[in-house]
């Protein structure tokens, strides 16, 4: 019998880059396949070929023995292939219901008009099936990233697909939402669907998948049942060498003078009475659940969002609220969480993006001309260190990079500015294991040279591995502080969950305050 | 509690209404005659051509494009109307649909340039703007033309006191209001304008949708041309030249965004289309020198575009926000 899905010698190139080389693969029906690989390995490209977004240069796909060559996403849908893309593809100006039905509205009998009642009802049902309490008429622009991601998933599921591809679906989900998603995925498997799940969080892959496929440089490096692929084997196949530690060694040492001090900073509804210092040479981790106010705090510190009261000082200078330029000039840098939207100029080259903030340091003394040689050299260094995969940093527009490589570019941009205070918001989300290590290594080097680092993450292991001190946020307040010698996972988590855990146990009603 | 922020947001979101009300109050208090019924009727009548054009422009703006060729389209429609009525001498009820074919073809040409040849809309329609007028001038040898009474008589047809040009405008607006709010095609135009790439990935026929907007815009432009011919009775080589800018201004004043994906016909484009003749006649009532009129007009257009870009910025900011309240609920559910 032929397998459910078969790729035979698929090739795909983009200009100079061979994104897929002779990919041949067989996948059984009714299983969850974990697809892993470094940033730029070709995972999304392979799935885009499967989903009719891209046409392969050569090769064939068969579904249940029948030749399948989708010309468009529409074709793929007709074949029962659903695709949840790495980036969100919702229309923010439309309602949730309209987003679900945009490719085919039911109409009133005999009229060209949309049957709004039916759309509303079916949307309610679909949302209900994943326990999402959102009104169908809500505009997508008002939803949180996690809610949007779930809508995207509901949208794909509504089509009654046989094969569902999830390309890094958990990057903007809270831990609760992630659990919910895993429940949904398992339910789909139980209903006989085949799932392809792409993620850089290998623990998630291990937890969920039955079968593993590892890609490297557009080639299949290995595939087989999950039992044969413990995480360290996945990693060594992914990066082509052994990685002993996930994070560079961090030893205890004495921090220098205070660089950044945040005093009693409040903004109603966002954060309350935040007191925080970051010293020279210190890496301070900020742990908190999504929505605990950590991103908001970082944005306030960087002057992107307003603050009602309190003071922020950098070295001995009091920063005025909302003055971003002042901060950059004083040596502050901020790697945002929403890197694609906030951090990049998509049509410019990797190199131009890298030197965007530091352009001034590349100007000749007279006349303000740039020094192209120096720019090329410095950006080449970063490209190499972070292993940004690109056909040529000087020419490749950032928008043609893989998702993870785009992220690395943003990080690189700020690293290049050699900041005194570096704020990182989820710096390694969507970044592969090898590059994760590099990011942390560079951050440590900055700290060694006297910079102070504030690193936000929702991966506790990552913070425990790399931070000198961890502060915990919950509901807009600091709820705990842990020096390196007293890291204890349970305690840190308890501080992060503080209110919600206690409340939900006591009231049994979901703990809304 | 009413905060400054809320007032600000309200002002941003209700710009059209606020501007409309402001013009009303200003001109009304400066020149009480401005508020007379006959003045309103005049404004309504004067807005009919512009209103129809603005509907077409709104469709194109929704998809994230622009059409600069409306005036030339109208001119060429007039030229063919003249050939049919004055040279071939067919009856009006054949000449009008015949002339409208010009608009259809014009729109189709724009659509091909934009969607097939992938020329930037601004450049493509600037090209057809020059080409269309050029072709018209070659045919007419740039003489002025009078239309027969069989056509111009139509402007006096009225029903319940509403004259035919106004009726045509209102019918067009009503029709396209329903197309945009109630049909799949309409909703998909909003989707394409919001995120073209995502629309393609969702399996929408984006090329057809965008092409449809240009074709409809072309058709509506020539309908506006017919209405203008009916109203004016004669036309010269400058007929409708530059009017597309006022149509774009009307659409933007009505809340349509130059960045795509935002805009409504009712009440938006209607109010926008009323505002322009309102300012014109208001200035006359107030006694402003007609040479200053243009400056005032452009100040208003500039204001509209300025507000549009502020609104866009605000929206992007809002989109990024993960408001604590929302997420707190998410966590505790
Ligand atoms: N449209 C495009 N134009 C040019 N190059 C492209 C394009 N799409 C992908 N590539 C290149 O193909 C390679 C594979 O990219 P792909 O997006 O498949 O990686 P990925 O495995 O999904 O990585 P990530 O984990 O970062 O999402 C990358 O080097 C990328 O730069
Ligand atoms: Mg990818």
């Amino acid at each position: 019998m032929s397998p459910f899905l078969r790729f035979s010698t698929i090739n795909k190139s983009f200009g100079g880059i061979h994104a897929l080389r002779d990919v041949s693969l067989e996948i059984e029906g009714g299983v969850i396949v974990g697809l892993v690989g470094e940033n730029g390995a070709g995972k999304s490209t392979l799935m885009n070929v499967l989903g009719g977004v891209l046409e392969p240069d050569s090769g064939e796909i068969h579904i249940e023995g029948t030749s399948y060559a989708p010309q468009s996403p529409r074709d793929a849908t007709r074949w029962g292939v659903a695709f949840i893309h790495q980036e969100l593809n919702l229309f923010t100006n439309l309602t949730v219901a309209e987003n679900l039905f945009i490719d085919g509205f039911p109409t009133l009998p005999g009229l060209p008009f949309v049957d709004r009642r039916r759309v509303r009802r079916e949307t309610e049902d679909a949302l209900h099936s994943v326990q999402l309490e959102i009104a169908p008429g809500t505009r997508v622009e008002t939803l949180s990233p996690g809610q949007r991601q779930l809508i995207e998933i509901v949208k794909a599921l509504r089509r009654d697909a046989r094969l569902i591809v999830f390309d890094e679906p958990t990057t903007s989900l809270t831990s609760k939402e992630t659990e919910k998603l895993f429940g949904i995925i398992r339910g789909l498997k139980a209903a006989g669907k085949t799932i392809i799940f792409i993620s850089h969080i290998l623990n998630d892959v291990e937890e969920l998948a039955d079968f593993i496929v590892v890609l490297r440089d557009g080639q299949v490096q290995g595939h087989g049942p999950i039992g044969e692929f413990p995480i360290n084997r996945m990693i060594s196949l992914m990066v082509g060498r052994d990685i002993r530690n996930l994070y560079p060694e961090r030893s205890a040492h004495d921090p220098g003078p205070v660089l950044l001090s945040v005093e009693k900073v409040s903004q109603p509804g966002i954060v309350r009475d935040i007191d925080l210092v970051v010293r020279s040479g210190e890496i301070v981790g900020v742990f908190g659940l999504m929505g605990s106010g950590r991103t908001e705090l970082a944005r306030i510190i960087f002057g992107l969002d307003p603050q009602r009261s309190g003071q922020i000082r950098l070295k001995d200078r009091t920063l005025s609220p909302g003055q971003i330029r002042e901060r950059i000039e004083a040596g502050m840098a901020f790697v945002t969480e929403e890197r694609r939207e906030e951090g990049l100029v998509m049509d410019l080259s990797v190199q131009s993006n890298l030197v965007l903030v530091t352009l001034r340091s590349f100007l000749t003394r007279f006349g303000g001309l740039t020094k192209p040689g120096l720019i090329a050299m410095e950006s080449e260094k970063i490209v190499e260190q972070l292993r940004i995969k690109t056909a040529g940093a000087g020419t490749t527009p950032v928008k043609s990079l893989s998702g993870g490589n785009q992220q690395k570019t943003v990080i690189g941009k700020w690293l290049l500015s050699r900041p005194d205070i570096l704020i990182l918001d989820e710096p390694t989300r969507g970044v592969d294991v090898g590059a994760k290590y590099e990011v942390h290594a560079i951050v440590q080097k900055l700290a060694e040279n006297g910079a102070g680092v504030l690193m936000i993450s929702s991966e506790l292991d990552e913070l425990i591995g790399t931070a000198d001190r961890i502060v915990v946020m919950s509901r807009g307040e600091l709820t705990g502080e842990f020096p390196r010698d007293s890291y204890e996972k349970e305690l840190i988590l308890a501080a992060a969950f503080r209110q919600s855990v206690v409340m939900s146990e006591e009231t049994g009603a979901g703990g809304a305050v | 509690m009413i905060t400054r922020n809320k007032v600000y947001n309200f002002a941003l979101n209700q710009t059209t209404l606020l501007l409309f009300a402001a013009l009303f109050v200003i001109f009304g208090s400066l020149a009480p005659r401005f508020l007379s019924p006959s003045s309103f009727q005049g404004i309504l009548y004067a807005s009919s051509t512009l209103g129809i054009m603005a509907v077409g422009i709104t469709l194109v703006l929704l998809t994230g494009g622009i059409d600069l060729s409306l005036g030339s389209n109208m001119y060429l429609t007039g030229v063919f109307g003249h050939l049919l009525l004055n040279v071939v001498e067919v009856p009006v009820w054949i000449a009008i649909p015949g002339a409208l074919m010009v608009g259809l073809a014009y729109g189709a040409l724009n659509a091909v340039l934009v969607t097939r040849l992938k020329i930037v809309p601004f450049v493509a329609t600037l090209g057809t703007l020059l080409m269309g007028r050029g072709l018209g001038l070659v045919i007419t040898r740039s003489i002025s033309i009078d239309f027969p009474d069989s056509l111009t008589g139509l402007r006096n047809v009225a029903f319940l006191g509403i004259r035919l040009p106004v009726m045509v405008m209102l019918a067009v607006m009503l029709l396209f209001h329903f197309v945009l709010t109630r049909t799949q095609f309409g909703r998909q135009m909003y989707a394409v304008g919001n995120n073209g790439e995502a629309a393609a990935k969702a399996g929408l026929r984006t090329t057809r949708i965008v092409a449809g907007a240009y074709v409809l815009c072309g058709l509506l432009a020539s309908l506006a041309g017919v209405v203008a011919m009916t109203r004016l009775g004669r036309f010269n080589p400058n007929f409708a030249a530059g009017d597309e800018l006022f149509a774009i201004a009307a659409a933007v004043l009505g809340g349509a965004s130059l960045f795509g994906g935002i805009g409504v016909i009712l009440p938006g484009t209607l109010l926008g289309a009323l505002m322009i003749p309102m300012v014109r006649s208001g200035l006359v009532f107030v006694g402003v020198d007609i040479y200053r009129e243009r400056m005032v007009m452009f100040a208003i257009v500039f204001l509209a575009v300025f507000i549009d870009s502020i609104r866009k910025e605000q929206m992007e900011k809002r989109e990024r926000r993960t408001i604590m309240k929302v997420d707190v609920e998410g966590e505790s559910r």
Side-chain angles (χ1 to χ4, degrees):
Chain A
M1 215 190 89
S2 48
F4 175 70
L5 174 65
R6 188 170 70 217
F7 294 96
S8 337
T9 57
I10 304 279
N11 278 287
K12 177 76 191 172
S13 302
F14 298 101
I17 289 201
H18 216 146
L20 295 173
R21 300 167 203 259
D22 290 335
V23 171
S24 295
L25 200 59
E26 292 187 355
I27 288 169
E28 293 305 321
V31 300
I32 300 175
V33 179
L35 177 56
V36 298
E38 280 185 301
N39 298 130
K43 304 180 298 292
S44 298
T45 304
L46 185 63
M47 292 303 110
N48 279 327
V49 167
L50 182 63
V53 179
L54 293 174
E55 230 179 302
D57 299 338
S58 66
E60 284 174 25
I61 309 177
H62 290 84
I63 292 184
E64 290 179 327
T66 319
S67 169
Y68 161 75
Q71 301 296 311
S72 66
R74 233 187 153 74
D75 274 356
T77 308
R78 250 197 308 274
W79 275 75
V81 176
F83 193 168
I84 292 136
H85 289 270
Q86 188 164 6
E87 68 291 341
L88 290 176
N89 284 299
L90 295 176
F91 307 106
T92 49
N93 58 346
L94 299 181
T95 65
V96 170
E98 286 173 335
N99 267 281
L100 295 190
F101 286 88
I102 194 70
D103 62 340
F105 285 97
T107 52
L108 295 167
L111 289 171
F113 295 131
V114 170
D115 184 345
R116 290 179 166 188
R117 199 170 298 160
R118 206 174 124 198
V119 167
R120 164 169 281 274
R121 204 182 49 232
E122 290 186 18
T123 304
E124 269 166 3
D125 290 348
L127 293 174
H128 208 68
S129 69
V130 294
Q131 283 122 46
L132 207 53
E133 294 343 293
I134 298 173
T138 316
R139 266 177 199 255
V140 167
E141 64 189 357
T142 64
L143 301 180
S144 74
Q147 288 173 319
R148 291 185 199 189
Q149 181 65 268
L150 290 174
I151 300 289
E152 189 85 67
I153 290 163
V154 171
K155 183 170 131 191
L157 299 185
R158 210 182 58 77
R159 304 213 184 119
D160 208 21
R162 297 185 280 175
L163 171 65
I164 304 156
V165 178
F166 291 89
D167 194 350
E168 298 193 42
T170 62
T171 44
S172 51
L173 297 188
T174 62
S175 48
K176 275 260 165 63
E177 287 166 336
T178 304
E179 266 168 47
K180 188 191 264 182
L181 172 66
F182 287 1
I184 294 170
I185 292 180
R186 291 202 181 92
L188 290 170
K189 180 187 156 187
K193 319 270 187 202
T194 308
I195 315 283
I196 299 178
F197 179 80
I198 300 178
S199 179
H200 289 291
I201 304 173
L202 300 180
N203 288 326
D204 286 356
V205 176
E206 188 179 44
E207 185 188 329
L208 210 55
D210 305 307
F211 192 89
I212 296 291
V213 176
V214 185
L215 277 184
R216 181 170 83 234
D217 289 336
Q219 284 173 307
V220 178
Q221 290 296 319
H223 59 101
I226 181 76
E228 297 171 15
F229 285 84
I231 287 186
N232 54 21
R233 178 155 181 236
M234 285 190 225
I235 293 176
S236 58
L237 285 172
M238 274 167 70
V239 301
R241 61 194 154 90
D242 279 329
I243 288 191
R244 209 156 302 128
N245 296 316
L246 283 181
Y247 312 108
E249 201 72 38
R250 182 84 186 145
S251 50
H253 58 108
D254 292 331
V258 170
L259 284 181
L260 174 75
S261 76
V262 175
E263 290 157 24
K264 290 249 166 295
V265 166
S266 295
Q267 170 70 14
I270 310 283
V271 294
R272 212 171 5 245
D273 282 340
I274 303 289
D275 280 307
L276 185 69
V277 292
V278 179
R279 297 187 179 83
S280 166
E282 193 182 33
I283 301 176
V284 179
V286 181
F287 181 71
L289 306 173
M290 212 174 268
S292 57
R294 27 172 229 190
T295 295
E296 287 67 18
L297 176 62
R299 292 176 58 95
I300 291 173
I301 295 177
F302 197 63
L304 281 166
D305 285 346
Q307 79 197 58
R308 174 68 61 83
S309 57
Q311 268 196 349
I312 300 171
R313 281 213 295 261
L314 183 54
K315 286 169 261 180
D316 14 82
R317 185 161 163 189
T318 302
L319 300 172
S320 3
Q323 289 298 316
I324 300 168
R325 266 200 89 79
E326 180 191 6
R327 287 162 165 78
I328 295 178
E329 272 159 21
M332 194 187 279
F334 181 27
V335 176
T336 61
E337 167 186 49
E338 307 275 334
R339 283 180 274 276
R340 282 174 63 93
E341 289 80 18
E342 293 179 17
L344 291 170
V345 187
M346 284 295 180
D347 289 309
L348 285 187
S349 71
V350 175
Q351 198 174 79
S352 308
N353 270 284
L354 281 174
V355 299
L356 215 53
V357 263
T358 37
L359 199 56
R360 197 174 290 183
S361 63
F362 292 107
L363 299 182
T364 52
R365 197 133 16 112
F366 313 102
L369 299 170
T370 58
K371 302 176 188 160
L374 191 62
I375 289 180
M377 210 173 72
E378 288 288 313
S379 51
E380 200 52 47
K381 237 189 271 170
I382 288 282
V383 166
E384 224 163 86
Q385 274 177 329
L386 294 181
R387 298 190 296 145
I388 298 174
K389 199 175 167 197
T390 153
T395 50
T396 317
V398 162
K399 75 173 169 218
S400 76
L401 294 188
S402 79
N405 284 303
Q406 291 180 355
Q407 309 227 20
K408 291 183 193 173
T409 307
V410 184
I411 298 170
K413 172 174 93 175
W414 289 108
L415 295 182
L416 206 55
S417 76
R418 299 205 187 79
D420 292 328
I421 278 286
L422 176 63
I423 306 172
L424 300 154
D425 192 358
E426 298 274 12
T428 60
R429 195 164 64 191
V431 169
D432 66 54
V433 276
K436 227 179 225 181
Y437 187 97
E438 297 302 331
V439 169
H440 287 297
I442 295 176
V443 167
Q444 289 200 3
K445 201 143 101 209
L446 284 171
E448 260 161 47
N449 294 336
V453 179
L454 192 65
M455 181 160 53
I456 299 172
S457 176
S458 35
E459 267 187 74
L460 187 49
D461 289 332
E462 178 176 40
L463 289 182
I464 289 180
T466 58
D468 300 320
R469 181 156 58 92
I470 296 178
V471 297
V472 184
M473 276 191 89
S474 170
R475 306 257 164 115
E477 289 179 313
L478 289 184
T479 56
E481 179 159 354
F482 300 84
R484 185 161 186 87
D485 49 22
S486 64
Y487 284 171
E488 234 176 287
K489 244 182 160 170
E490 284 68 31
L491 291 180
I492 297 176
L493 280 170
F497 274 108
R498 182 189 60 161
Q499 283 151 322
S500 46
V501 171
V502 175
M503 289 297 287
S504 57
E505 273 170 10
E506 274 177 9
T507 62
V513 183
Chain B
M1 198 180 79
I2 298 173
T3 61
R4 213 174 58 197
N5 228 328
K6 272 190 191 152
V7 172
Y8 182 64
N9 271 337
F10 178 81
L12 269 187
N13 292 324
Q14 303 296 332
T15 332
T16 305
L17 260 173
L18 291 177
L19 262 176
F20 192 80
L23 291 176
F24 216 82
V25 170
I26 293 171
F27 288 129
S29 55
L30 289 178
R33 269 195 310 144
F34 174 77
L35 296 176
S36 68
S38 71
S39 146
F40 292 153
Q41 274 195 338
I43 289 172
L44 201 57
Y45 185 66
S47 70
S48 54
T49 314
L50 189 67
I52 297 169
M53 293 166 76
V55 170
I57 282 285
T58 303
L59 302 181
V60 172
L61 288 182
L62 272 181
T63 65
I66 196 152
D67 188 346
L68 299 175
S69 68
L70 273 70
S72 297
N73 182 340
M74 291 164 72
Y75 178 58
L76 211 54
T77 302
V79 172
F80 274 82
H82 152 70
L83 291 180
L84 290 171
L85 284 168
N86 297 338
V87 180
V88 191
E89 294 188 31
V90 298
V92 170
W93 57 272
I94 295 180
I96 291 180
L100 291 182
M101 291 303 117
V102 173
L104 210 55
Y106 217 113
L109 176 62
N110 282 334
V112 168
L113 295 178
V114 171
T115 61
R116 293 273 167 232
L117 304 186
K118 310 236 183 284
I119 301 174
V120 187
F122 188 94
V123 176
T125 58
L126 187 62
T128 56
L129 162 107
L130 298 173
M131 203 196 66
R133 184 136 329 237
L135 182 61
L137 292 177
V138 169
I139 296 173
T140 59
R141 297 273 151 219
S142 79
I143 51 160
S144 298
I145 289 156
D146 286 303
F147 287 108
D149 294 343
S150 60
L151 181 72
T152 54
L154 290 176
R155 68 178 171 222
N156 295 321
V157 176
F159 184 70
L160 296 175
I162 303 173
R163 294 164 83 177
L164 191 57
V166 176
M167 271 197 285
V168 172
M169 171 183 79
L170 292 179
V172 163
M173 288 192 168
L174 212 56
L175 174 68
F176 281 93
H177 175 72
F178 277 105
V179 168
L180 285 184
T181 56
R182 299 296 177 94
T183 68
Q184 171 161 315
F185 172 67
R187 299 322 285 166
Q188 290 184 342
M189 294 213 324
Y190 284 88
V192 170
N194 183 249
N195 188 342
E197 209 170 302
K201 282 185 187 161
L204 304 196
R205 300 194 160 100
T206 51
T207 309
R208 263 192 227 185
I209 295 164
V210 174
Y214 283 95
V215 171
L216 287 172
C217 182
L219 184 62
L220 286 171
S222 70
L223 181 62
V226 171
V227 169
M229 280 150 36
T230 313
R231 281 176 45 196
L232 302 174
R234 77 188 318 244
F235 83 151
N236 59 29
N238 274 329
F239 177 74
D243 280 6
E244 55 275 334
L245 294 183
F246 289 105
I248 294 170
V252 174
L253 282 169
S257 172
L258 292 169
F259 304 98
I262 298 173
V264 289
I265 304 287
L266 295 177
T269 304
L270 173 62
L271 292 181
L274 288 173
M275 266 188 249
I276 295 202
M278 206 159 123
V279 172
R280 254 187 212 139
S281 85
L283 291 175
V284 172
F285 276 117
V286 175
V288 170
D289 154 16
I290 52 161
Y291 295 107
R292 302 248 168 95
E293 182 210 287
R294 286 212 151 211
M295 287 166 60
V296 176
M297 288 309 270
F298 281 106
I300 288 176
V301 171
F302 179 78
L303 185 68
V305 174
F306 180 63
I307 291 169
D308 181 34
S309 48
I310 296 184
R311 197 173 37 197
K312 159 104 174 161
E313 208 168 282
Q314 284 303 106
M315 237 156 23
E316 278 175 352
K317 266 206 190 133
R318 196 153 16 117
E319 250 172 53
R320 291 190 209 125
R321 294 280 20 90
T322 42
I323 303 152
M324 205 164 78
K325 270 181 282 166
V326 178
D327 272 304
V328 168
E329 280 165 25
E331 284 300 334
S332 55
R333 211 177 269 133

